Structure formats: C-alpha cells, structure tokens
Amino acid sequence: MSSERLMSDGDSRYYLLKVAHEQFGRAPGELAAEQHEQAARIAARQRQIEEAVLRSPEASGVVIPAAQVEEAWASIGSRYAEGELLQALAGHGLDAAGLRAMLANELKVEAVLERVCAGLPEVSETDVGLYYFSHLEQFEVPAARVARHILITINPDFPENTRESARARIEAIAKRLRSKPERFAEQALKHSECPTALQDGLLGTIKPGTLYPQLEACLFELAEGETSPVLESPLGFHLLRCEAVQQARRLSLEEVLPRLRDSLQSRQRKARQRQWLASLLQPSAPVENQAHG
C-alpha cells in the first residue's frame, strides 16, 4: 500500500493526538471533557481540509519522496529517547506505518498548497513602497534606553534586607558611584540582588512599558552615562544607569525593504491558499427540483 493515501476512520486517533498536544500540551486522555471536545472538533476540521486537498485536481501527480517522509519521521523521533516514540504511539493505538502515512499526507498537502501558489507575481519594490507609505505608522520605533541597574531587595526576614538596612546599603553604593560612575557594572556584579548582576547589571534595551512606572520615568529622563538617584519599587531599592539613548524614529524604506517584501509575498501566498481552500470546501449548490408544481 502506498504511504500517500487518503485518511481512514482509524487515522482520527493521529489527528486527535496531534491537536491535543498542539493546543493543550497533553495527550487526549489527559484532557478535560470540554478540551477533548474542542480538540476533536479541530481534528475533524483538519481531516476535512486535508481530504479535500488530497482529492483535488491540483493534487494529481504530486508525489512525496520516501526520503522526505523519513526526514519528517526522524525529526519527530529526535524528541524522544530511543524506542520511546514507538511506545508512545502504541499507547495511543498507533504504529510507525500509520504515522509515516500521516506524515506523507501532511507533506503532500503542503506541496499542493505550494502548487496552488505557482504563478503568483513577485512582490515588486513598487508594491513594497506603496504599502510602506500607506502604513507609515507601522514603522515607527519608540524611544528606548540601554540601561544597567542595581537592586537591593527589601525582605524583613533577613537583617541585611530590612527596609532600613537595604536603604543604607543602596545609599553606600550610590555614594561610591557619585565619585566613580564608571564602576557601575562592577558594583552591580558585586552587590545587586537581581539576576542581571551576572551580566554586570545590564537590563538591555528598554522600551516604554517595560519597567515599573517610577523607574521608567526616571530612566527616560537620564542623559547618556548618567546615574539615577536611589529609586524604590515593590521589589526594593534601585540605581539605574543610562548607557545609551535611542531616540524615537521611523524606519526607512531601505531598512525594511527585504523583510517587508518577504512579508507581503507571504501574505499574498496565504491569501491565495485561503481563497483556493474556500472554493474547494464550498458545498455544491443544490440542484432545484424542476418536477414539482
């Protein structure tokens, strides 16, 4: 029997297993009743679409090489220890031959969808330019800051982290940095109680809406190379250093051209595929009964 075949009723277990893991990260038997019903509906819809694609005229002559199926099989197998994949399949009433057949079907559906897009015109630079100038708001980059910070937490369960002790510790660090601000990274590595201490306190590029409001407001007022006063958040006390200022700007057409062209090309392909699938799945109009009346 060819591995490229239409689905049988027994194959529904494969689709249900796949959807359960994709949607809920669990096996079908571990799903709640409502989740199981949802997964079953999605799986049934997927089967309906795949069957329609495989029966379509466009699928005629599409052959998936056995090596491509084996590559897909090996990709799945790489997620399991040796022998565990076969055990997992058996636990759901499936076997290697059935899974390979399903993989062949999926690969064939993908190939048919690629065939449907054959002949689509390439997105030109003019097309990209028209989209860019019609959607300038999509290419606005907000202001940002590259920052480091030092955190001393407040925790009354530890004497060195009571509010008074934590404040005294951060003030001592701030005093040292006022005379030698270039030592901020060193002080962060030595004293900060944030995981970023291992990166010398580097927070990275901070965009609006990332930090606690009181920290963010101060950071965006700092000049490059400037250190903040002691700041407080629900976590404790902070010192911030602005490493670099990135002003708000609009990405140029030249900057976005390659990626935007790929995006528009992909959007065009998906639109063609959706249109084709919709026509494929649309039921035939009922023939009017001319004999009555």
Side-chain angles (χ1 to χ4, degrees):
M1 179 185 295
S2 170
S3 63
E4 295 179 0
R5 58 175 175 79
L6 296 182
M7 284 70 79
S8 68
D9 290 339
D11 295 334
S12 60
R13 294 190 300 272
Y14 167 82
Y15 289 91
L16 182 59
L17 177 64
K18 177 185 174 186
V19 170
H21 278 286
E22 288 178 347
Q23 295 292 321
F24 303 104
R26 298 177 182 177
E30 299 170 345
L31 300 180
E34 184 177 345
Q35 293 174 328
H36 196 282
E37 290 178 8
Q38 182 181 348
R41 286 195 301 271
I42 296 172
R45 181 61 173 170
Q46 285 188 358
R47 289 192 64 193
Q48 178 191 13
I49 293 172
E50 291 192 10
E51 287 176 349
V53 171
L54 294 174
R55 294 181 189 276
S56 69
E58 288 79 2
S60 177
V62 175
V63 177
I64 303 301
Q68 193 174 349
V69 177
E70 289 306 309
E71 184 179 344
W73 166 269
S75 177
I76 295 175
S78 66
R79 306 169 200 166
Y80 295 82
E82 185 175 357
E84 285 187 358
L85 175 56
L86 294 178
Q87 293 176 9
L89 289 173
H92 296 284
L94 300 169
D95 57 26
L99 179 56
R100 282 186 169 91
M102 295 300 94
L103 292 172
N105 280 334
E106 289 183 347
L107 291 168
K108 187 167 183 176
V109 168
E110 292 174 6
V112 174
L113 290 174
E114 287 296 313
R115 173 179 281 192
V116 168
C117 292
L120 273 178
E122 291 292 321
V123 173
S124 68
E125 289 191 14
T126 300
D127 297 325
V128 177
L130 286 172
Y131 184 90
Y132 174 83
F133 288 108
S134 299
H135 301 83
L136 289 174
E137 71 283 353
Q138 295 182 10
F139 306 101
E140 299 291 344
V141 178
R145 300 291 186 270
V146 179
R148 296 182 190 272
H149 91 140
I150 295 171
L151 166 66
I152 302 298
T153 59
I154 298 173
N155 187 338
D157 293 335
F158 298 94
E160 67 274 19
N161 287 96
T162 63
R163 182 179 182 82
E164 294 75 15
S165 296
R167 181 81 194 205
R169 289 169 62 198
I170 198 83
E171 290 288 2
I173 296 170
K175 182 178 180 180
R176 288 193 289 271
L177 291 176
R178 279 194 289 273
S179 60
K180 295 184 177 180
E182 70 279 3
R183 294 180 58 192
F184 194 99
E186 170 203 310
Q187 292 293 297
L189 178 63
K190 286 183 177 179
H191 303 292
S192 181
E193 296 173 354
C194 175
T196 59
L198 298 176
Q199 289 78 46
D200 298 335
L202 185 63
L203 289 171
T205 301
I206 304 299
K207 297 178 181 179
T210 305
L211 302 178
Y212 285 108
Q214 58 270 44
L215 301 184
E216 190 173 285
C218 180
L219 175 61
F220 276 77
E221 292 295 325
L222 296 177
E224 187 171 314
E226 190 176 3
T227 299
S228 73
V230 173
L231 303 168
E232 186 174 357
S233 81
L235 294 178
F237 295 107
H238 305 254
L239 289 169
L240 293 170
R241 176 179 171 85
C242 177
E243 295 285 345
V245 174
Q246 297 179 2
Q247 300 293 350
R249 69 186 188 95
R250 177 186 297 152
L251 296 173
S252 69
L253 177 57
E254 289 71 23
E255 288 178 281
V256 302
L257 182 60
R259 187 172 57 183
L260 181 55
R261 178 159 44 195
D262 289 345
S263 175
L264 294 177
Q265 193 77 50
S266 176
R267 186 180 303 182
Q268 179 178 262
R269 291 167 63 83
K270 289 179 180 178
R272 169 65 66 85
Q273 291 168 351
R274 283 195 299 267
Q275 183 182 33
W276 179 75
L277 286 171
S279 66
L280 196 66
L281 296 169
Q282 186 174 0
S284 301
V287 178
E288 186 177 352
N289 185 356
Q290 301 292 335
H292 72 279

